[in-house]
Amino acid sequence: MGLLIAGNWKMNGLGDRLGEVSAVAECARTTSGHNDVLICVPSTLITRAVEAGAGLVVIGGEDCGAGVSGAFTGDISAEMLKDAGASAVIVGHSERRRNHNETDAMVATKAVAARRAGLAVIICIGETQAQRDEGAALSACSAQIAASLPVDLEFSEGSAIAYEPLWAIGTGRVPTAGEIVEVHQSIRQRLTDLMGDRNHGLRILYGGSVTAENAESILELPQVDGVLVGGASLRSHDFNGIIRAADAVTRHSGDPLRRLRHAYETDR
Ligand code: 13P
């Protein structure tokens, strides 16, 4: 399993931006191919983005409803995303938790829906600034995992937990390497407690103000299995810089070595 470089376009992008997806596909074509590239786009773009991605960029949705169909005006089911060509979906992004009052329990039902439709799922968690200031970052993330992860689920390949501290999203502020390592280690331990060995199939991504400039220093941390990128995923120039940084990291460290170090640290 290589690194996952995932973009989240949020509520951005009309058809005229699809050239960015093609340019990302071109970049992916020139890299070693060890890592996976995913772009989660607004639902209106999914079908066209799949075409532009040319099989080199996996396309995902940004949220899904819990049900298959029904009287839920404006909602989109995981099956509909799949039908449009998506292979993955983000659930529980902090912007949805905040703006749409989504609870951990709702996030868990969306993760189940994603699995039902055969989509990889990226479940987002992360502490607020206040929680970090109180020294409660680890406990906040741990509680979110316990409540928003359906632990009995056989997750589809490519699924991940994304650690996105709220104070780092769109702010240009990034946790220190030590802070990222501490939280990722604690998430891995929590996943092991909840799921046993099955957690090895789940990547742990970091998200929050990732740029082409800081990506390599984040991705070379062995506890980080990829990144979830907002603003810097909108322009292929920036996102491709992150893809190349990931490629450099896998070339240097070699994926098997990363996994070994990872397993060692998880077992301690
Ligand atoms: P930024 O990369 O713009 O900080 O956004 C992160 C994010 O929310 C990705 O889901």
Side-chain angles (χ1 to χ4, degrees):
M1 190 161 59
L3 300 166
L4 174 62
I5 311 308
N8 173 12
W9 278 17
K10 309 191 178 185
M11 199 173 75
N12 294 293
L14 301 176
D16 62 0
R17 303 303 294 168
L18 287 161
E20 300 299 319
V21 178
S22 310
V24 170
E26 271 319 301
C27 176
R29 197 190 298 283
T30 63
T31 56
S32 63
H34 286 123
N35 301 325
D36 297 324
V37 179
L38 164 71
I39 302 183
C40 295
V41 296
S43 309
T44 48
L45 291 180
I46 288 174
T47 303
R48 287 173 286 169
V50 169
E51 226 171 276
L56 292 153
V57 179
V58 176
I59 300 300
E62 300 176 5
D63 175 53
C64 66
V68 178
S69 61
F72 302 103
T73 303
D75 285 357
I76 291 188
S77 70
E79 282 77 5
M80 290 168 177
L81 295 176
K82 175 88 176 171
D83 183 52
S87 305
V89 63
I90 297 170
V91 299
H93 193 282
S94 60
E95 286 151 14
R96 293 209 60 88
R97 290 175 184 265
R98 187 184 58 219
N99 301 334
H100 298 269
N101 301 319
E102 289 192 6
T103 62
D104 288 329
M106 287 162 74
V107 174
T109 62
K110 290 175 178 221
V112 170
R115 177 67 189 106
R116 185 186 65 219
L119 299 176
V121 63
I122 298 178
I123 302 175
C124 300
I125 59 162
E127 82 280 4
T128 61
Q129 179 71 66
Q131 286 167 328
R132 167 125 328 245
D133 293 345
E134 288 160 14
L138 298 185
S139 57
C141 291
S142 181
Q144 274 185 317
I145 289 176
S148 48
L149 187 89
V151 287
D152 294 333
L153 206 64
E154 285 300 328
F155 286 93
S156 300
E157 197 185 328
S159 294
I161 303 294
Y163 167 55
E164 299 203 307
L166 272 60
W167 50 273
I169 295 178
T171 59
R173 292 172 55 211
V174 178
T176 63
E179 287 168 338
I180 295 176
V181 166
E182 184 185 37
V183 179
H184 278 231
Q185 259 170 354
S186 139
I187 292 172
R188 185 59 75 188
Q189 187 56 55
R190 191 79 177 112
L191 292 176
T192 305
D193 294 345
L194 291 167
M195 303 171 61
D197 283 356
R198 287 185 305 118
N199 90 86
H200 292 167
L202 276 182
R203 288 178 169 114
I204 304 177
L205 314 181
Y206 168 76
S209 297
V210 176
T211 63
E213 288 69 39
N214 63 24
E216 187 161 346
S217 63
I218 295 169
L219 286 164
E220 70 188 7
L221 303 170
Q223 295 81 3
V224 174
D225 304 314
V227 283
L228 182 55
V229 184
S233 72
L234 293 173
R235 282 167 26 120
S236 55
H237 176 267
D238 301 328
F239 198 54
N240 287 347
I242 298 171
I243 291 170
R244 284 193 208 95
D247 202 42
V249 168
T250 21
R251 278 174 202 269
H252 292 160
S253 63
D255 193 45
L257 186 61
R258 282 178 59 81
R259 303 313 302 176
L260 267 179
R261 284 207 303 243
H262 204 138
Y264 170 72
E265 266 148 24
T266 315
D267 285 349
R268 272 191 306 173

